[in-house]
Amino acid sequence: MGMAACFAAVTPATAERLTSNPDQVEEYLFPDGGEPENYIDVDKAWHGIHYLLTGSADESVPPLSWAVMGGTEIGEDIGYGPARILTTEQVKQIAEALPNEDDFKAAYAPEAMEAAQIYPDVIWVRDGQESLDYLVENYRELVAFYRAAATRGDGAILWLC
C-alpha cells in the first residue's frame, strides 16, 4: 500500500465553500467512494518529485515547494494528515515555475535521495533508471494537472492518501 499523493483542482467557488466549511472537505475528496473532478494521483513518486523540484526532503522555496507539499491545511486528518489547499494564484505560479522535463531529469541523484530518506527510500539506488522513469511519468501528469488548472483559473487541494 503506502502513501500516494493526490491532487484535485477546485474552482474558486468550491475553494471558498470548503474553506468556510472545512467539515465538508473529506466528503468532497471522497464522493460516494469515488474521486473528485479533475483528480490525479502521482502514486508514491510524490516525495521524489518534490526532491527533484526543490533539492530538499522538506519545505523549501516557493513556488516549486508548493507543487507537492504546499498549501494551507484544511479540514481534519484524513489518514496522513489534513488536506492542503492552494489558491488560484499559487496554482498559476506553480504552473509557470515547473521546469521542463530535461531539467527535471537532471536533478535526479539516487544516492543523495537515499541518504535524505526520500520516500520510498529503498528504490532510488536499487532501481536506478527505472526509478527515474517512474518519477518522470508521474511528473508529466503533475505538470499537465497544474497547467490545466491554471488555464481554468482553479486552485487545488493536495493530500496524502
Side-chain angles (χ1 to χ4, degrees):
M1 187 118 183
M3 290 185 287
C6 301
F7 303 79
V10 291
T11 65
T14 299
E16 177 63 34
R17 178 176 58 85
L18 294 174
T19 301
S20 298
N21 302 287
D23 57 316
Q24 296 178 6
V25 170
E26 188 168 0
E27 182 181 328
Y28 179 81
L29 297 179
F30 306 104
D32 296 324
E35 300 164 347
E37 286 187 58
N38 299 310
Y39 164 89
I40 66 161
D41 82 63
V42 295
D43 197 42
K44 296 175 189 170
W46 62 274
H47 205 201
I49 291 170
H50 175 78
Y51 184 86
L52 268 60
L53 291 175
T54 67
S56 172
D58 300 308
E59 293 183 28
S60 187
V61 179
L64 290 177
S65 65
W66 296 333
V68 176
M69 298 174 68
T72 302
E73 289 185 355
I74 183 170
E76 298 295 319
D77 185 323
I78 54 173
Y80 294 104
R84 296 171 320 281
I85 193 163
L86 296 167
T87 66
T88 58
E89 182 57 33
Q90 288 171 315
V91 167
K92 181 181 175 192
Q93 289 178 37
I94 293 165
E96 291 171 354
L98 289 169
N100 67 47
E101 195 172 300
D102 288 337
D103 290 341
F104 178 78
K105 287 179 186 179
Y108 186 61
E111 290 83 10
M113 293 169 73
E114 185 176 277
Q117 298 181 320
I118 302 302
Y119 178 80
D121 62 348
V122 298
I123 70 169
W124 309 120
V125 172
R126 182 191 72 198
D127 297 345
Q129 184 64 44
E130 286 180 38
S131 294
L132 177 57
D133 293 345
Y134 172 66
L135 291 172
V136 169
E137 176 185 330
N138 284 284
Y139 179 66
R140 287 179 186 143
E141 285 192 46
L142 190 67
V143 169
F145 169 82
Y146 276 115
R147 289 187 178 154
T151 298
R152 289 188 306 268
D154 288 344
I157 296 182
L158 297 62
W159 71 101
L160 293 176
C161 51

